[in-house]
Amino acid sequence: MDSTDTSFEQRLRDNAGKTEALLTRLLADTSLNDEIVRPERLLNAMRHGVLNGGKRLRPFLVMESAALLGGNAEAALRVGAALECVHCYSLVHDDLPAMDDDDLRRGQPTVHIAFDYATAILAGDSLLTYAFDIIAAPETELPADRKMALVLALSRAAGIGGMAGGQALDLAAEKETPDERGITTLQAMKTGALIRFACEAGAIISGASAEDRKRLRTFGEKIGLAFQLADDLLDLTADATTMGKATGKDAARGKGTLVALHGREWAETTLARLVSEAADLLSGYGDKADVLTETARFVANRKN
Amino acid sequence: MDSTDTSFEQRLRDNAGKTEALLTRLLADTSLNDEIVRPERLLNAMRHGVLNGGKRLRPFLVMESAALLGGNAEAALRVGAALECVHCYSLVHDDLPAMDDDDLRRGQPTVHIAFDYATAILAGDSLLTYAFDIIAAPETELPADRKMALVLALSRAAGIGGMAGGQALDLAAEKETPDERGITTLQAMKTGALIRFACEAGAIISGASAEDRKRLRTFGEKIGLAFQLADDLLDLTADATTMGKATGKDAARGKGTLVALHGREWAETTLARLVSEAADLLSGYGDKADVLTETARFVANRKN
């Protein structure tokens, strides 16, 4: 680990700390909306699903994309927290018995194990709903048209044309292994869409030009692809202790991955290409883009 | 049935027809967002959960509240459709085996029966997400600040402080019967919040004054209370054929209702009082408010 790595990882950790602190506040009794009773058990299940010490990669991408284009850092932190609520809702629902049936996530019991099935469904529902609340709330100090663009882009990234649709394709893939194009599509939807949104969100927050927004969106696509490829590589090799969750399950279920189709060497070459393409996209921004290009490298090389 | 009833019911049916047509278009392949594959099975499950010939009471309330205050009818129709997606998502999830475990809804198999458990979870998730897409989309022609206010009010009505939280309290009520205050709170959240939002939404769409908005919101609260009370009365008496769903289940599960606590006569008196209070709230608008006050009566007297 050279000194660049250390300072990058420090920056990632610092931002994760800020995101965790904000999420803790957002999920505190007193921050939730006015007037009516909060069902404590449901709120605790939401906290269990969110406050789990994750790397908070998506919020980091929102923050750094906004920083690149001069966006409001406080607003970016809130949008990142909203995005993390969406990401965590998807994990809570994906872990359910009817879906991937996982008991363990980051070394902790999943929400339906720690609480119960119905509460886990409702906790996911409530986290998804809360994400839009966080963006729309007056505390997110952005012009209404930017907030609107964020709501639209996030709902499309998370919905049937994005993450939820990708999960449906993934479930179908257990019965019939998709071809290469099918695998690429499902991964772009299931994992890629939210990561792409994270980068695009930074541009929206900043009121960037359509060109900058498109560039960040494409950058996000590259990161998304790299993230998934690295994940497939890890799934092949890591053990449950490193990952804090069940591993090798995709292979056991006969799910196709690009790594399974083309092999490890191809995957490593492709990862290097993606990192280089991602860096090229941002080269016009000079040094200011160093953190984001470093993030691409980090995502491609991650070990857990 | 007098002539007023007939014309009111015709108006309700006409509006349900418009809402159904819009929802059908919104859930058509070609209307869903660009670029990527739509998982057909998931989309069919969403259609199954939504296009079921419901009365579309909530969209009607949005339309009529907007009409009262001079709001854009096209925009109101779209917001009504979005709200109906949220309502239908909640039914799809509430019917799941881990929740109320219902096989039948409006005389049709519920989504997890017609499809499967995982698809039903994802169909609910996708409908909830799509609601925010519909509001935020450029086709909803409203100023961004009104759209933002709609997103905020809807997410609060649907989230942990509203409908989802109410469902959590309702599940808890199966184990420990709440007292009167507890029942009132859970019903205000579970059923009341979306109905209240429907009326408030009309005011937001119209760019109404804070005073008008508050008045419509309170009107929506009265309708919500009447709706629930009528529902509890029906649950006591109707049979499954009339309701198209399992009935008497609340009583069988030992869930407390206000009707169970205070009896039928009290319920009928209270319904009459709520209708009268609702009408009083809108008396300042004169004849223009006739449809909404008629709606209050209709909700209180409904037979299915």
Side-chain angles (χ1 to χ4, degrees):
Chain A
M1 192 190 290
D2 63 30
S3 66
T4 316
D5 280 337
T6 312
S7 103
F8 171 79
E9 284 172 11
Q10 185 60 47
R11 193 173 173 113
L12 183 59
R13 269 196 304 275
D14 284 352
N15 192 71
K18 281 187 208 163
T19 300
E20 195 88 14
L22 176 56
L23 284 166
T24 304
R25 260 189 292 138
L26 287 167
L27 291 167
D29 267 328
T30 45
S31 303
L32 283 169
N33 84 61
D34 41 358
E35 298 169 50
I36 22 187
V37 179
R38 304 98 186 60
E40 271 306 315
R41 186 176 170 81
L42 178 54
L43 187 52
N44 285 331
M46 291 168 74
R47 291 181 183 128
H48 186 93
V50 171
L51 305 174
N52 55 18
K55 278 192 298 296
R56 313 301 185 189
L57 174 66
R58 291 159 194 78
F60 185 72
L61 286 168
V62 178
M63 285 296 281
E64 295 298 341
S65 300
L68 175 71
L69 298 166
N72 174 333
E74 281 306 309
L77 191 64
R78 285 183 60 92
V79 172
L83 176 55
E84 196 68 6
C85 286
V86 174
H87 173 56
C88 292
Y89 122 72
S90 79
L91 300 180
V92 172
H93 280 191
D94 285 2
D95 286 337
L96 289 170
M99 304 266 231
D100 296 346
D101 194 13
D102 280 316
D103 293 355
L104 204 62
R105 159 98 41 205
R106 301 198 149 272
Q108 296 294 321
T110 47
V111 176
H112 65 277
I113 298 290
F115 294 82
D116 59 78
Y117 205 140
T119 303
I121 295 172
L122 287 170
D125 294 347
S126 302
L127 285 170
L128 171 58
T129 310
Y130 197 36
F132 293 102
D133 182 335
I134 295 169
I135 293 175
E139 291 81 1
T140 301
E141 293 183 3
L142 288 174
D145 61 335
R146 292 189 202 170
K147 288 192 191 185
M148 212 64 271
L150 288 165
V151 167
L152 186 60
L154 178 57
S155 60
R156 293 196 171 171
I160 185 175
M163 184 180 67
Q167 174 68 0
L169 295 177
D170 202 24
L171 292 170
E174 284 177 32
K175 280 163 201 149
E176 192 178 353
T177 306
D179 59 12
E180 173 152 12
R181 187 146 176 266
I183 297 169
T184 309
T185 303
L186 102 70
Q187 292 184 344
M189 292 167 77
K190 183 177 173 172
T191 336
L194 279 202
I195 292 176
R196 187 180 69 178
F197 167 78
C199 300
E200 193 176 2
I204 298 172
I205 290 164
S206 313
S209 67
E211 200 176 39
D212 275 333
R213 180 168 166 181
K214 186 153 185 289
R215 195 174 292 120
L216 267 291
R217 186 178 158 98
T218 310
F219 175 80
E221 269 170 25
K222 306 279 178 199
I223 305 243
L225 287 168
F227 183 92
Q228 186 60 53
L229 218 46
D231 209 55
D232 291 344
L233 273 175
L234 280 167
D235 193 69
L236 216 62
T237 52
D239 63 29
T241 321
T242 323
M243 294 286 280
K245 65 177 183 182
T247 52
K249 285 185 85 158
D250 291 351
R253 284 171 182 159
K255 275 188 196 170
T257 70
L258 297 179
V259 178
L261 273 182
H262 297 298
R264 171 184 303 276
E265 202 177 325
W266 172 89
E268 279 163 2
T269 310
T270 306
L271 277 171
R273 181 175 55 73
L274 286 167
V275 170
S276 148
E277 287 172 1
D280 286 352
L281 273 166
L282 304 188
S283 60
Y285 302 108
D287 295 353
K288 282 197 296 176
D290 283 356
V291 180
L292 283 176
T293 54
E294 189 63 33
T295 313
R297 237 187 316 273
F298 171 80
V299 164
N301 298 325
R302 72 207 176 87
K303 295 290 171 280
N304 59 60
Chain B
M1 192 189 293
D2 65 30
S3 66
T4 317
D5 281 337
T6 312
S7 103
F8 172 79
E9 284 172 11
Q10 186 60 45
R11 193 174 173 110
L12 183 59
R13 269 196 305 275
D14 285 352
N15 192 71
K18 282 188 206 165
T19 299
E20 194 88 14
L22 175 57
L23 285 166
T24 304
R25 261 188 292 135
L26 288 167
L27 291 168
D29 266 330
T30 45
S31 303
L32 284 168
N33 84 59
D34 44 358
E35 299 169 46
I36 21 183
V37 179
R38 305 95 183 62
E40 271 308 314
R41 186 177 171 80
L42 178 55
L43 187 51
N44 285 331
M46 290 166 75
R47 291 181 182 127
H48 186 93
V50 171
L51 305 174
N52 55 15
K55 280 192 296 296
R56 313 303 185 188
L57 174 67
R58 291 159 194 79
F60 185 72
L61 287 168
V62 178
M63 286 296 281
E64 295 298 340
S65 301
L68 177 72
L69 298 166
N72 175 335
E74 282 305 308
L77 191 64
R78 285 183 61 90
V79 172
L83 176 54
E84 197 66 8
C85 287
V86 174
H87 173 56
C88 292
Y89 121 72
S90 79
L91 301 180
V92 172
H93 280 191
D94 284 4
D95 286 338
L96 290 171
M99 304 264 231
D100 297 344
D101 195 13
D102 281 316
D103 291 356
L104 205 61
R105 159 101 35 208
R106 302 195 148 273
Q108 296 294 319
T110 46
V111 177
H112 65 276
I113 298 290
F115 294 82
D116 59 78
Y117 204 139
T119 302
I121 295 171
L122 287 170
D125 294 347
S126 302
L127 285 171
L128 171 58
T129 311
Y130 198 36
F132 294 102
D133 182 335
I134 295 169
I135 294 175
E139 290 81 0
T140 302
E141 293 183 3
L142 287 174
D145 59 336
R146 294 190 201 167
K147 290 191 188 186
M148 213 65 268
L150 288 165
V151 168
L152 186 60
L154 177 57
S155 60
R156 292 193 173 174
I160 186 173
M163 183 181 67
Q167 174 67 1
L169 295 178
D170 202 23
L171 292 170
E174 285 178 31
K175 279 164 204 148
E176 192 178 353
T177 307
D179 60 13
E180 174 151 12
R181 185 145 179 266
I183 296 171
T184 309
T185 302
L186 102 72
Q187 292 184 344
M189 291 168 75
K190 183 177 173 172
T191 336
L194 280 202
I195 293 176
R196 187 180 69 179
F197 168 79
C199 300
E200 192 176 4
I204 298 172
I205 290 165
S206 313
S209 67
E211 201 175 39
D212 277 333
R213 180 170 166 177
K214 184 152 186 291
R215 195 174 292 119
L216 267 291
R217 188 179 156 97
T218 310
F219 174 80
E221 268 169 27
K222 307 278 179 200
I223 304 243
L225 287 168
F227 183 92
Q228 186 60 53
L229 218 47
D231 209 56
D232 291 343
L233 273 174
L234 280 167
D235 193 69
L236 216 62
T237 54
D239 62 30
T241 321
T242 323
M243 292 288 279
K245 65 177 182 180
T247 51
K249 286 187 83 159
D250 291 351
R253 284 174 182 155
K255 275 185 196 173
T257 70
L258 296 181
V259 178
L261 274 182
H262 299 297
R264 172 184 303 277
E265 202 176 325
W266 171 89
E268 279 161 4
T269 312
T270 306
L271 277 171
R273 181 175 55 75
L274 286 167
V275 170
S276 148
E277 287 172 358
D280 287 351
L281 272 166
L282 304 187
S283 60
Y285 302 107
D287 294 354
K288 283 197 295 175
D290 283 355
V291 180
L292 282 176
T293 53
E294 190 61 35
T295 312
R297 239 187 315 275
F298 171 81
V299 164
N301 298 324
R302 73 204 174 88
K303 294 290 170 285
N304 60 61

